[in-house]
Amino acid sequence: MDTGFLILLISCLSGFIYLIIGYLLTFKQKADVLNGIDFSRIADLPAFCKYVGNSFLLSTVI
């Protein structure tokens, strides 16, 4: 297997994972995919999910 193809495959796989996480956070409001966050301190959970999900989706595009 060519090294360039392997790098492309890994990049596409990690981008696809970011895309799935961004979709789940932005549109499905699945905050349980995030670890290490104290959800009791977040006042507006849907807005937080939308913000973080959009950040994941934006990093996938770039």
Side-chain angles (χ1 to χ4, degrees):
M1 183 179 292
D2 188 28
T3 306
F5 181 72
L6 184 63
I7 291 172
L8 177 68
L9 187 66
I10 292 171
S11 297
C12 288
L13 182 65
S14 64
F16 186 69
I17 290 171
Y18 266 56
L19 189 67
I20 290 173
I21 292 172
Y23 171 77
L24 287 175
L25 285 171
T26 303
F27 299 110
K28 298 294 184 177
Q29 305 296 318
K30 299 282 187 178
D32 56 344
V33 298
L34 300 173
N35 291 327
I37 296 175
D38 186 13
F39 292 112
S40 64
R41 298 184 67 193
I42 298 174
D44 192 9
L45 189 61
F48 174 76
C49 286
K50 188 172 182 178
Y51 176 76
V52 174
N54 284 337
S55 299
F56 271 95
L57 290 175
L58 183 65
S59 66
T60 302
V61 172
I62 294 175

